[in-house]
């Protein structure tokens, strides 16, 4: 990631997750054998349960009954661990907590959990519906309201996962996609946990980039070994992604003729950096963009050199300083990190001034 989001928690939209947390906490104390609103349902959740009986109440009762009927205490403990661990999103990202998949649960309860929490589950669909579930939205708000509050605190416009595209501005009529960082289609119980929901640009959110990738596991290396990944709401001091173009000449049209080195500080996050690159297909996307636009970017530098140095008499050192300053604050520009890297590649060439003067072909 290029930068990390600031959480706006607590926010009213988290009420749904909190109501469900009340339900699971009561269910997991194992004192009840009969589904009871009076014990299991938070008082502020009761009118929602009453109004959306088939959507929520029936499904919660089915889940409760499936849990009570699990054959062994170990099966119940696995459900408890799955709920607790999967909602500790930061712990999963830091690889200090083991996440549980749907298939880790006893087969007799998977269907009931999926009907609430997976990609077709009712809970996230209730939050994303634009017209239905008014009572729920009165208590929890909607995603557009959440997004505007989120953007009011997180003012950086470029997508933190790629830096190539913009997030939509505050008070836009639309919003960016909310990605389930840990896939709701693979991992139960975290589909309405807003520590697991992150606004992202459309390209990052779809395959072959992140899509539904199983991010706790590096399936390309070893599908049973977990690795740490960046947590989108981290607070890592002095975090920076650093790019360098390695090429014998300035023609970058052919992806195979040059390399893009991607480093990070602090270096302790190198594994997280590598996973970020793999999850979002960063190296390929970055190289493709640079290769596609490098001619135009070079021409802009050439034109600016002739305008400032040839016509106005500015020194090359002053011109170089100005060019390198354009994308210094690269998070303010779409593709800013790529433009900054490209400008550094061109301007730090020892023969740059001669090439710009026309003595060599740039």
């Amino acid at each position: 990631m290029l930068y990390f989001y600031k959480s706006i928690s607590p926010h009213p939209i988290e009420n749904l997750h909190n109501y469900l947390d009340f339900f699971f906490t009561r269910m997991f104390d194992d004192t009840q054998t009969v589904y009871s609103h009076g014990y299991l349902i938070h008082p502020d959740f009761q009118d929602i349960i009453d109004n959306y009986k088939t959507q929520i109440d029936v499904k919660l009762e089915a889940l409760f009954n499936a849990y009570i009927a699990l054959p062994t205490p170990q099966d119940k403990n696995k459900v408890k661990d799955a709920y607790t661990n999967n909602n500790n999103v930061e712990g999963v990202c830091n690889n200090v907590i083991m996440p549980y998949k749907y298939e880790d649960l006893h087969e007799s309860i998977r269907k009931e959990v999926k009907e609430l929490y997976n990609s077709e589950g009712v809970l996230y669909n209730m939050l994303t519906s634009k017209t239905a579930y008014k009572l729920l939205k009165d208590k929890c708000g909607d995603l557009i309201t959440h997004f505007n509050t989120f953007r009011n605190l997180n003012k950086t416009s470029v997508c933190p996962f790629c830096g190539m595209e913009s997030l939509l501005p505050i008070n836009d009529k639309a919003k960016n996609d909310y990605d389930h960082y840990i896939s709701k289609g693979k991992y139960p119980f975290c589909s309405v946990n807003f520590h697991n929901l992150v606004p992202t640009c459309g390209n990052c959110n779809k395959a072959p980039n992140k899509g539904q990738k199983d991010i706790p596991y590096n399936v390309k290396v070893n599908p049973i070994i977990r690795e740490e990944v960046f947590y989108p709401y981290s607070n890592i001091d002095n975090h920076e992604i650093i790019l360098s173009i390695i090429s014998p000449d300035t023609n970058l049209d052919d992806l195979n003729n040059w390399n893009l080195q991607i480093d990070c500080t602090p270096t302790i996050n190198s594994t997280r950096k590598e996973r970020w690159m793999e999850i979002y297909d960063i190296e390929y996307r970055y190289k493709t963009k640079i290769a596609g636009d490098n001619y135009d970017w070079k021409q802009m530098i050439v034109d600016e050199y002739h305008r400032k140095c040839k016509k106005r008499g500015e020194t090359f050192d002053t011109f170089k300083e100005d060019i390198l300053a354009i994308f210094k604050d690269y998070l303010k520009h779409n593709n800013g990190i790529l433009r900054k890297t490209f400008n550094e590649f061109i301007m730090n060439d020892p023969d740059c001034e001669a090439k710009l003067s026309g003595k060599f072909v740039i």
Side-chain angles (χ1 to χ4, degrees):
M1 291 185 67
L2 301 186
Y3 67 95
F4 301 106
Y5 282 140
K6 298 174 184 176
S7 173
I8 62 170
S9 180
H11 185 277
I13 207 165
E14 297 172 276
N15 287 342
L16 178 58
H17 176 71
N18 294 336
Y19 297 151
L20 292 162
D21 190 62
F22 182 93
F23 167 83
F24 282 104
T25 300
R26 291 296 183 94
M27 183 176 79
F28 289 155
D29 69 18
D30 294 323
T31 63
Q32 307 295 304
T33 58
V34 177
Y35 181 73
S36 165
H37 284 185
Y39 188 77
L40 295 166
I41 303 304
H42 191 285
D44 292 340
F45 196 31
Q46 186 62 58
D47 53 350
I48 295 174
I49 289 288
D50 293 340
N51 275 272
Y52 307 118
K53 186 172 181 62
T54 58
Q55 294 92 336
I56 301 182
D57 191 30
V58 170
K59 291 178 172 61
L60 286 178
E61 183 174 8
L63 175 60
F64 177 86
N65 290 333
Y67 173 79
I68 294 300
L70 285 170
T72 69
Q74 290 77 16
D75 292 320
K76 289 185 177 180
N77 287 336
K78 188 165 286 189
V79 176
K80 294 175 183 178
D81 290 343
Y83 180 82
T84 300
N85 289 12
N86 289 3
N87 279 298
N88 185 348
V89 181
E90 184 173 12
V92 171
C93 290
N94 291 334
N95 197 20
V96 296
I97 293 290
M98 185 182 78
Y100 287 80
K101 297 182 180 182
Y102 286 101
E103 56 263 34
D104 295 323
L105 305 179
H106 192 276
E107 60 183 0
S108 65
I109 200 172
R110 290 176 201 162
K111 174 178 176 290
E112 288 74 14
V113 176
K114 286 182 177 181
E115 286 186 346
L116 286 166
Y117 280 103
N118 80 349
S119 299
E120 288 75 42
V122 66
L123 294 175
Y124 188 67
N125 291 331
M126 292 179 79
L127 288 180
T128 56
S129 172
K130 294 182 179 179
T131 57
Y133 306 110
K134 181 179 183 302
L135 181 60
L136 177 70
K137 290 180 171 59
D138 288 343
K139 290 204 170 187
C140 301
D142 56 38
L143 284 178
I144 286 288
T145 303
H146 180 272
F147 182 74
N148 285 332
T149 305
F150 180 90
R151 288 290 282 121
N152 191 50
L153 178 63
N154 293 273
K155 296 185 182 297
T156 302
S157 289
V158 298
C159 173
F161 301 102
C162 68
M164 301 178 76
E165 297 187 24
S166 289
L167 299 176
L168 291 172
I170 189 171
N171 296 323
D172 196 280
K173 293 181 180 180
K175 63 170 182 60
N176 287 99
D177 295 337
Y178 275 63
D179 174 42
H180 288 84
Y181 197 58
I182 297 172
S183 171
K184 66 182 183 295
K186 293 180 172 65
Y187 295 91
F189 301 123
C190 55
S191 67
V192 291
N193 181 343
F194 274 76
H195 297 286
N196 189 43
L197 283 156
V198 287
T200 182
C201 75
N203 276 335
C204 280
N205 196 32
K206 65 185 181 183
N209 302 323
K210 181 175 181 294
Q212 297 296 316
K213 287 179 181 175
D214 190 0
I215 70 166
Y217 294 85
N218 190 342
V219 295
K220 288 186 175 181
V221 176
N222 190 326
I224 64 171
I225 300 297
R226 299 194 315 275
E227 290 184 332
E228 59 190 11
V229 297
F230 285 126
Y231 174 54
Y233 297 100
S234 291
N235 185 20
I236 300 175
D237 292 335
N238 302 315
H239 170 73
E240 186 177 7
I241 298 295
I242 303 162
L243 309 183
S244 303
I245 295 171
I246 312 299
S247 175
D249 59 63
T250 60
N251 184 346
L252 305 179
D253 292 348
D254 189 337
L255 298 179
N256 297 315
N257 290 343
W258 58 281
N259 294 314
L260 183 65
Q261 183 173 313
I262 304 178
D263 298 309
C264 74
T265 58
T267 56
I268 194 172
N269 289 316
S270 293
T271 297
R272 292 183 174 95
K273 182 262 297 182
E274 293 294 327
R275 292 302 322 285
W276 162 71
M277 290 170 56
E278 179 264 322
I279 291 166
Y280 292 95
D281 202 12
I282 289 297
E283 183 178 4
Y284 178 77
R285 292 168 69 191
Y286 280 6
K287 288 191 68 175
T288 300
K289 181 63 178 176
I290 293 170
D293 287 359
N294 81 101
Y295 177 82
D296 288 340
W297 293 350
K298 280 186 289 190
Q299 196 58 50
M300 290 177 189
I301 294 175
V302 171
D303 292 345
E304 194 71 0
Y305 172 78
H306 283 278
R307 186 175 69 87
K308 288 187 172 182
C309 295
K310 294 298 187 180
K311 292 183 179 180
R312 296 183 180 176
E314 288 187 12
T315 65
F316 176 76
D317 287 343
T318 299
F319 169 72
K320 177 179 178 178
E321 183 179 345
D322 289 346
I323 291 295
L324 294 178
I326 295 174
F327 295 104
K328 182 178 180 180
D329 295 327
Y330 56 85
L331 293 178
K332 295 180 179 179
H333 309 272
N334 286 8
N335 297 303
I337 191 169
L338 306 185
R339 300 293 302 273
K340 172 181 180 290
T341 303
F342 181 81
N343 285 1
E344 290 170 347
F345 168 66
I346 294 295
M347 300 308 300
N348 290 329
D349 182 345
D351 297 323
C352 179
E353 184 175 9
K355 292 178 180 179
L356 289 171
S357 297
K359 296 178 181 178
F360 299 102
V361 177
I362 194 167

